Amino acid sequence: MRIETKCVQSGYSPKNGEARVLPIYQSTTYKYDSSEFMGDLFDLKADGFFYTRLANPTVDAVEKKIADLEGGVAAVMTSSGQAASMYSVLNICHSGDHVVCSSAIYGGTYNLFNKTMREMGIDFTFVSPNSTADELEAAFKTNTRCVFGETLSNPALDVLDIEVFANAAHKHGVPLIVDNTFPTPINCNPFKFGADIVTHSTTKYMDGHACALGGVVIDSGNFDWNNGLFPGLTTPDETYHGITYTEKFGKAAYIVKMRTHLMRDIGAMQGPQNAFLLNLGLETLHLRMARHVENAQKVAEYLESQIATGKVSWVNYPGLKSNKNYELCQKYMPNGSCGVVSFGVAGGREAATKFMDSLKLAAVVTHVADARTCCLHPASTTHRQLTDKQLEDCGVSPDLVRFSVGIENADDIIDDIKQALEKC
């Protein structure tokens, strides 16, 4: 099936007389006729549901849909995008290991890696998303176990050169993990360009309505873990009766370990109600992304036209031919990137604040990437915990306004911007 059909049809196929719409299995537990069968579930000898912290029929259906959309072998949904980012790394990294990471990532993820996971003993080296092969090579260590980046960074909108990062990772026998939240699988397929693991904050475009927190990790099934660097996957796990994940689960080894180890011990599972709401969003994802991109292109072009008037100091949108990432965007996202436009209001931080306070249609909210137009000043909100140097590395200037273009009429969005700029 083509991806538009997968958005609607994948994951759940009702049998004769069953509910046409994916049901919400609002249950933590599942009944079985014998202790022996339940024992087989806990030994991973049989398939089934035995506790919703590990798996749930509603969640399972949506995991299958997202894996299908990304072209992966399996997926695990989490309670948030932050949990997905942490799980993706923690599944293969331990105290004493090292990660090469693009510096242009979401501020919360940067802090997760640079603070919390450093305190867990995992080291990180941050590099420019525009690093050359030689610059990437210099960042690797003998204990490097993965490379992490965002296909389209939040909020700097840097396009990751996936092939360059994938080649560098594979040269050192480690996987490339890519956060594909902003483009979604509608606009970018990282596995096609060599990425091995994909993550999403499903809270954003996948949900699309700012209703349900969530995250997901998808495994391509393409990475060969049997190279001596990942004993957690290739040697017996005594907490599961000596199972070796790569031997028993093959291409799904990474995801099975994540579910049976991290989800068992940490939790952070997405609940069935949120999964149900997410599935409703996924059914229209292909329609909404096309409109987001169409509207954002018009907004970006309007803002670019205002540079000459002195109202706007700069505009950053990969769909603009003047953008530094335009060619990379055409390579990795030929149908468009996302609905987020970053720009600077002439006059700096104070002018940016006045602009946002003057908006009437667009709301100032701590969110991005849903059906309604909204905006945020990252330097004083989502990224305020970072130093000036860290802000610079992330591509966040003091005057940057992150403008998330919704699916309303583009002319109404532009009229709102126009009247707000006139008050600055």
Side-chain angles (χ1 to χ4, degrees):
M1 294 187 294
R2 292 165 178 81
I3 198 165
E4 296 87 351
T5 307
K6 290 179 180 181
C7 283
V8 181
Q9 296 286 349
S10 284
Y12 173 65
S13 299
K15 298 180 178 63
N16 186 47
E18 292 184 341
R20 181 64 189 90
V21 176
L22 175 65
I24 304 172
Y25 288 88
Q26 195 65 47
S27 179
T28 61
T29 49
Y30 308 88
K31 178 185 177 296
Y32 291 99
D33 293 335
S34 73
S35 298
E36 181 182 1
F37 186 80
M38 181 165 280
D40 286 343
L41 290 173
F42 276 88
D43 286 348
L44 305 181
K45 294 178 180 178
D47 292 328
F49 303 97
F50 48 97
Y51 197 56
T52 285
R53 186 174 78 242
L54 294 178
N56 168 281
T58 307
V59 177
D60 178 70
V62 186
E63 287 173 341
K64 286 182 169 63
K65 174 176 284 190
I66 295 174
D68 200 16
L69 290 174
E70 283 287 7
V73 295
V76 165
M77 285 168 57
T78 61
S79 57
S80 68
Q82 283 288 84
S85 295
M86 184 181 77
Y87 275 25
S88 70
V89 174
L90 197 58
N91 199 39
I92 50 175
C93 291
H94 310 93
S95 178
D97 288 339
H98 172 257
V99 178
V100 176
C101 183
S102 168
S103 61
I105 55 175
Y106 167 58
T109 308
Y110 186 96
N111 205 61
L112 167 68
F113 291 166
N114 197 46
K115 166 71 173 172
T116 303
M117 294 187 75
R118 277 193 193 277
E119 291 176 345
M120 298 168 69
I122 301 172
D123 188 25
F124 288 81
T125 296
F126 293 95
V127 298
S128 168
N130 307 122
S131 295
T132 64
D134 288 342
E135 288 169 337
L136 281 174
E137 179 68 24
F140 281 84
K141 301 179 180 181
T142 56
N143 58 338
T144 301
R145 292 297 177 265
C146 67
V147 179
F148 188 98
E150 293 181 358
T151 49
L152 192 60
S153 64
N154 174 14
L157 300 179
D158 282 307
V159 178
L160 189 76
D161 197 335
I162 301 172
E163 288 185 336
V164 170
F165 273 68
N167 289 338
H170 297 160
K171 180 179 178 180
H172 289 268
V174 302
L176 172 62
I177 303 171
V178 171
D179 183 328
N180 197 33
T181 296
F182 268 13
T184 81
I186 302 301
N187 287 340
C188 184
N189 183 353
F191 292 156
K192 178 181 176 182
F193 299 101
D196 303 289
I197 311 292
V198 162
T199 70
H200 287 270
S201 169
T202 63
T203 314
K204 308 305 189 297
Y205 286 120
M206 282 189 166
D207 168 22
H209 300 85
C211 292
L213 284 173
V216 67
V217 183
I218 310 105
D219 183 9
S220 68
N222 295 330
F223 190 81
D224 183 4
W225 304 103
N226 290 290
N227 62 5
L229 299 180
F230 304 97
L233 286 161
T234 60
T235 60
D237 182 351
E238 297 306 325
T239 67
Y240 267 108
H241 313 289
I243 282 176
T244 299
Y245 294 102
T246 50
E247 289 180 3
K248 186 169 180 62
F249 301 103
K251 288 181 175 295
Y254 173 91
I255 287 295
V256 174
K257 179 183 181 295
M258 182 178 293
R259 187 183 303 281
T260 57
H261 177 198
L262 296 185
M263 200 61 78
R264 175 197 64 186
D265 293 350
I266 300 175
M269 168 59 81
Q270 186 165 151
Q273 181 73 48
N274 276 16
F276 173 83
L277 293 171
L278 171 59
N279 189 59
L280 293 180
L282 288 170
E283 289 180 352
T284 61
L285 180 63
H286 58 294
L287 300 173
R288 290 184 288 104
M289 287 309 296
R291 181 58 175 258
H292 280 296
V293 168
E294 177 187 354
N295 281 358
Q297 185 70 29
K298 293 177 181 178
V299 166
E301 290 173 358
Y302 170 76
L303 287 167
E304 192 171 46
S305 74
Q306 294 306 295
I307 294 176
T309 70
K311 293 289 186 181
V312 174
S313 52
W314 56 270
V315 182
N316 181 18
Y317 185 67
L320 293 174
K321 290 184 178 180
S322 59
N323 189 269
K324 66 178 183 179
N325 287 302
Y326 179 77
E327 294 300 328
L328 273 182
C329 187
Q330 294 301 301
K331 175 180 178 179
Y332 294 117
M333 296 164 251
N335 295 322
S337 56
C338 69
V340 180
V341 180
S342 294
F343 65 99
V345 179
R349 185 186 292 256
E350 289 184 8
T353 300
K354 187 172 183 180
F355 165 79
M356 292 191 299
D357 290 346
S358 300
L359 292 166
K360 297 178 180 178
L361 182 151
V364 180
V365 299
T366 309
H367 198 244
V368 67
D370 70 60
R372 294 166 290 272
T373 297
C374 58
C375 67
L376 191 73
H377 184 245
S380 60
T381 53
T382 56
H383 289 61
R384 72 178 299 136
Q385 76 275 16
L386 305 185
T387 65
D388 288 345
K389 178 62 168 63
Q390 289 170 338
L391 285 171
E392 180 183 343
D393 290 342
C394 287
V396 178
S397 58
D399 63 342
L400 186 152
V401 173
R402 185 184 71 182
F403 200 85
S404 180
V405 182
I407 60 173
E408 305 95 343
N409 185 286
D411 291 337
D412 289 331
I413 300 170
I414 291 170
D415 286 345
D416 192 35
I417 295 171
K418 182 178 180 181
Q419 65 84 24
L421 285 175
E422 288 173 351
K423 295 176 181 176
C424 294

mmCIF file with all atom_site columns, all heavy atoms in Angstrom, residues 210-223:
data_model
loop_
_atom_site.group_PDB
_atom_site.id
_atom_site.type_symbol
_atom_site.label_atom_id
_atom_site.label_alt_id
_atom_site.label_comp_id
_atom_site.label_asym_id
_atom_site.label_entity_id
_atom_site.label_seq_id
_atom_site.pdbx_PDB_ins_code
_atom_site.Cartn_x
_atom_site.Cartn_y
_atom_site.Cartn_z
_atom_site.occupancy
_atom_site.B_iso_or_equiv
_atom_site.pdbx_formal_charge
_atom_site.auth_seq_id
_atom_site.auth_comp_id
_atom_site.auth_asym_id
_atom_site.auth_atom_id
_atom_site.pdbx_PDB_model_num
ATOM 1  N N   . ALA A 1 210 ? -2.792 18.447 19.480 1.00 0.00 ? 210 ALA A N   1
ATOM 2  C CA  . ALA A 1 210 ? -2.363 18.833 20.820 1.00 0.00 ? 210 ALA A CA  1
ATOM 3  C C   . ALA A 1 210 ? -3.219 18.176 21.901 1.00 0.00 ? 210 ALA A C   1
ATOM 4  O O   . ALA A 1 210 ? -3.559 18.791 22.904 1.00 0.00 ? 210 ALA A O   1
ATOM 5  C CB  . ALA A 1 210 ? -2.389 20.363 20.974 1.00 0.00 ? 210 ALA A CB  1
ATOM 6  N N   . CYS A 1 211 ? -3.538 16.904 21.686 1.00 0.00 ? 211 CYS A N   1
ATOM 7  C CA  . CYS A 1 211 ? -4.412 16.182 22.615 1.00 0.00 ? 211 CYS A CA  1
ATOM 8  C C   . CYS A 1 211 ? -3.673 15.165 23.475 1.00 0.00 ? 211 CYS A C   1
ATOM 9  O O   . CYS A 1 211 ? -4.063 14.933 24.626 1.00 0.00 ? 211 CYS A O   1
ATOM 10 C CB  . CYS A 1 211 ? -5.509 15.431 21.846 1.00 0.00 ? 211 CYS A CB  1
ATOM 11 S SG  . CYS A 1 211 ? -6.719 16.490 21.055 1.00 0.00 ? 211 CYS A SG  1
ATOM 12 N N   . ALA A 1 212 ? -2.650 14.518 22.936 1.00 0.00 ? 212 ALA A N   1
ATOM 13 C CA  . ALA A 1 212 ? -2.089 13.348 23.603 1.00 0.00 ? 212 ALA A CA  1
ATOM 14 C C   . ALA A 1 212 ? -0.563 13.332 23.533 1.00 0.00 ? 212 ALA A C   1
ATOM 15 O O   . ALA A 1 212 ? 0.017  13.313 22.450 1.00 0.00 ? 212 ALA A O   1
ATOM 16 C CB  . ALA A 1 212 ? -2.646 12.071 22.971 1.00 0.00 ? 212 ALA A CB  1
ATOM 17 N N   . LEU A 1 213 ? 0.076  13.316 24.696 1.00 0.00 ? 213 LEU A N   1
ATOM 18 C CA  . LEU A 1 213 ? 1.523  13.147 24.746 1.00 0.00 ? 213 LEU A CA  1
ATOM 19 C C   . LEU A 1 213 ? 1.906  11.744 24.282 1.00 0.00 ? 213 LEU A C   1
ATOM 20 O O   . LEU A 1 213 ? 1.165  10.783 24.512 1.00 0.00 ? 213 LEU A O   1
ATOM 21 C CB  . LEU A 1 213 ? 2.033  13.337 26.171 1.00 0.00 ? 213 LEU A CB  1
ATOM 22 C CG  . LEU A 1 213 ? 2.133  14.760 26.720 1.00 0.00 ? 213 LEU A CG  1
ATOM 23 C CD1 . LEU A 1 213 ? 2.493  14.702 28.202 1.00 0.00 ? 213 LEU A CD1 1
ATOM 24 C CD2 . LEU A 1 213 ? 3.158  15.579 25.959 1.00 0.00 ? 213 LEU A CD2 1
ATOM 25 N N   . GLY A 1 214 ? 3.067  11.641 23.671 1.00 0.00 ? 214 GLY A N   1
ATOM 26 C CA  . GLY A 1 214 ? 3.523  10.317 23.278 1.00 0.00 ? 214 GLY A CA  1
ATOM 27 C C   . GLY A 1 214 ? 4.823  10.366 22.508 1.00 0.00 ? 214 GLY A C   1
ATOM 28 O O   . GLY A 1 214 ? 5.257  11.417 22.027 1.00 0.00 ? 214 GLY A O   1
ATOM 29 N N   . GLY A 1 215 ? 5.457  9.223  22.413 1.00 0.00 ? 215 GLY A N   1
ATOM 30 C CA  . GLY A 1 215 ? 6.669  9.072  21.617 1.00 0.00 ? 215 GLY A CA  1
ATOM 31 C C   . GLY A 1 215 ? 6.709  7.679  21.031 1.00 0.00 ? 215 GLY A C   1
ATOM 32 O O   . GLY A 1 215 ? 5.900  6.816  21.390 1.00 0.00 ? 215 GLY A O   1
ATOM 33 N N   . VAL A 1 216 ? 7.647  7.448  20.121 1.00 0.00 ? 216 VAL A N   1
ATOM 34 C CA  . VAL A 1 216 ? 7.773  6.121  19.518 1.00 0.00 ? 216 VAL A CA  1
ATOM 35 C C   . VAL A 1 216 ? 9.201  5.919  19.028 1.00 0.00 ? 216 VAL A C   1
ATOM 36 O O   . VAL A 1 216 ? 9.883  6.884  18.632 1.00 0.00 ? 216 VAL A O   1
ATOM 37 C CB  . VAL A 1 216 ? 6.770  5.940  18.350 1.00 0.00 ? 216 VAL A CB  1
ATOM 38 C CG1 . VAL A 1 216 ? 7.111  6.857  17.173 1.00 0.00 ? 216 VAL A CG1 1
ATOM 39 C CG2 . VAL A 1 216 ? 6.687  4.493  17.897 1.00 0.00 ? 216 VAL A CG2 1
ATOM 40 N N   . VAL A 1 217 ? 9.672  4.678  19.113 1.00 0.00 ? 217 VAL A N   1
ATOM 41 C CA  . VAL A 1 217 ? 10.973 4.276  18.577 1.00 0.00 ? 217 VAL A CA  1
ATOM 42 C C   . VAL A 1 217 ? 10.725 3.177  17.556 1.00 0.00 ? 217 VAL A C   1
ATOM 43 O O   . VAL A 1 217 ? 10.022 2.196  17.852 1.00 0.00 ? 217 VAL A O   1
ATOM 44 C CB  . VAL A 1 217 ? 11.912 3.751  19.685 1.00 0.00 ? 217 VAL A CB  1
ATOM 45 C CG1 . VAL A 1 217 ? 13.278 3.400  19.098 1.00 0.00 ? 217 VAL A CG1 1
ATOM 46 C CG2 . VAL A 1 217 ? 12.052 4.775  20.800 1.00 0.00 ? 217 VAL A CG2 1
ATOM 47 N N   . ILE A 1 218 ? 11.274 3.339  16.348 1.00 0.00 ? 218 ILE A N   1
ATOM 48 C CA  . ILE A 1 218 ? 11.091 2.358  15.272 1.00 0.00 ? 218 ILE A CA  1
ATOM 49 C C   . ILE A 1 218 ? 12.451 1.825  14.839 1.00 0.00 ? 218 ILE A C   1
ATOM 50 O O   . ILE A 1 218 ? 13.406 2.593  14.656 1.00 0.00 ? 218 ILE A O   1
ATOM 51 C CB  . ILE A 1 218 ? 10.387 2.989  14.045 1.00 0.00 ? 218 ILE A CB  1
ATOM 52 C CG1 . ILE A 1 218 ? 9.122  3.737  14.460 1.00 0.00 ? 218 ILE A CG1 1
ATOM 53 C CG2 . ILE A 1 218 ? 10.051 1.926  13.011 1.00 0.00 ? 218 ILE A CG2 1
ATOM 54 C CD1 . ILE A 1 218 ? 9.259  5.240  14.464 1.00 0.00 ? 218 ILE A CD1 1
ATOM 55 N N   . ASP A 1 219 ? 12.530 0.522  14.673 1.00 0.00 ? 219 ASP A N   1
ATOM 56 C CA  . ASP A 1 219 ? 13.768 -0.130 14.240 1.00 0.00 ? 219 ASP A CA  1
ATOM 57 C C   . ASP A 1 219 ? 13.642 -0.524 12.771 1.00 0.00 ? 219 ASP A C   1
ATOM 58 O O   . ASP A 1 219 ? 12.662 -1.147 12.371 1.00 0.00 ? 219 ASP A O   1
ATOM 59 C CB  . ASP A 1 219 ? 14.017 -1.371 15.101 1.00 0.00 ? 219 ASP A CB  1
ATOM 60 C CG  . ASP A 1 219 ? 15.327 -2.081 14.769 1.00 0.00 ? 219 ASP A CG  1
ATOM 61 O OD1 . ASP A 1 219 ? 16.124 -1.524 13.989 1.00 0.00 ? 219 ASP A OD1 1
ATOM 62 O OD2 . ASP A 1 219 ? 15.544 -3.186 15.288 1.00 0.00 ? 219 ASP A OD2 1
ATOM 63 N N   . SER A 1 220 ? 14.657 -0.169 11.984 1.00 0.00 ? 220 SER A N   1
ATOM 64 C CA  . SER A 1 220 ? 14.653 -0.542 10.567 1.00 0.00 ? 220 SER A CA  1
ATOM 65 C C   . SER A 1 220 ? 14.850 -2.039 10.380 1.00 0.00 ? 220 SER A C   1
ATOM 66 O O   . SER A 1 220 ? 14.452 -2.610 9.370  1.00 0.00 ? 220 SER A O   1
ATOM 67 C CB  . SER A 1 220 ? 15.772 0.200  9.821  1.00 0.00 ? 220 SER A CB  1
ATOM 68 O OG  . SER A 1 220 ? 17.053 -0.258 10.250 1.00 0.00 ? 220 SER A OG  1
ATOM 69 N N   . GLY A 1 221 ? 15.517 -2.676 11.348 1.00 0.00 ? 221 GLY A N   1
ATOM 70 C CA  . GLY A 1 221 ? 15.872 -4.093 11.207 1.00 0.00 ? 221 GLY A CA  1
ATOM 71 C C   . GLY A 1 221 ? 17.093 -4.316 10.334 1.00 0.00 ? 221 GLY A C   1
ATOM 72 O O   . GLY A 1 221 ? 17.451 -5.460 10.046 1.00 0.00 ? 221 GLY A O   1
ATOM 73 N N   . ASN A 1 222 ? 17.755 -3.223 9.930  1.00 0.00 ? 222 ASN A N   1
ATOM 74 C CA  . ASN A 1 222 ? 18.870 -3.339 8.984  1.00 0.00 ? 222 ASN A CA  1
ATOM 75 C C   . ASN A 1 222 ? 20.243 -3.419 9.638  1.00 0.00 ? 222 ASN A C   1
ATOM 76 O O   . ASN A 1 222 ? 21.208 -3.834 8.988  1.00 0.00 ? 222 ASN A O   1
ATOM 77 C CB  . ASN A 1 222 ? 18.862 -2.131 8.029  1.00 0.00 ? 222 ASN A CB  1
ATOM 78 C CG  . ASN A 1 222 ? 17.633 -2.111 7.140  1.00 0.00 ? 222 ASN A CG  1
ATOM 79 O OD1 . ASN A 1 222 ? 17.095 -3.161 6.800  1.00 0.00 ? 222 ASN A OD1 1
ATOM 80 N ND2 . ASN A 1 222 ? 17.176 -0.918 6.774  1.00 0.00 ? 222 ASN A ND2 1
ATOM 81 N N   . PHE A 1 223 ? 20.343 -3.013 10.900 1.00 0.00 ? 223 PHE A N   1
ATOM 82 C CA  . PHE A 1 223 ? 21.667 -2.959 11.517 1.00 0.00 ? 223 PHE A CA  1
ATOM 83 C C   . PHE A 1 223 ? 22.065 -4.332 12.058 1.00 0.00 ? 223 PHE A C   1
ATOM 84 O O   . PHE A 1 223 ? 21.271 -5.021 12.697 1.00 0.00 ? 223 PHE A O   1
ATOM 85 C CB  . PHE A 1 223 ? 21.697 -1.929 12.644 1.00 0.00 ? 223 PHE A CB  1
ATOM 86 C CG  . PHE A 1 223 ? 23.081 -1.653 13.170 1.00 0.00 ? 223 PHE A CG  1
ATOM 87 C CD1 . PHE A 1 223 ? 23.919 -0.782 12.507 1.00 0.00 ? 223 PHE A CD1 1
ATOM 88 C CD2 . PHE A 1 223 ? 23.551 -2.286 14.314 1.00 0.00 ? 223 PHE A CD2 1
ATOM 89 C CE1 . PHE A 1 223 ? 25.211 -0.535 12.961 1.00 0.00 ? 223 PHE A CE1 1
ATOM 90 C CE2 . PHE A 1 223 ? 24.828 -2.044 14.782 1.00 0.00 ? 223 PHE A CE2 1
ATOM 91 C CZ  . PHE A 1 223 ? 25.664 -1.171 14.105 1.00 0.00 ? 223 PHE A CZ  1
#
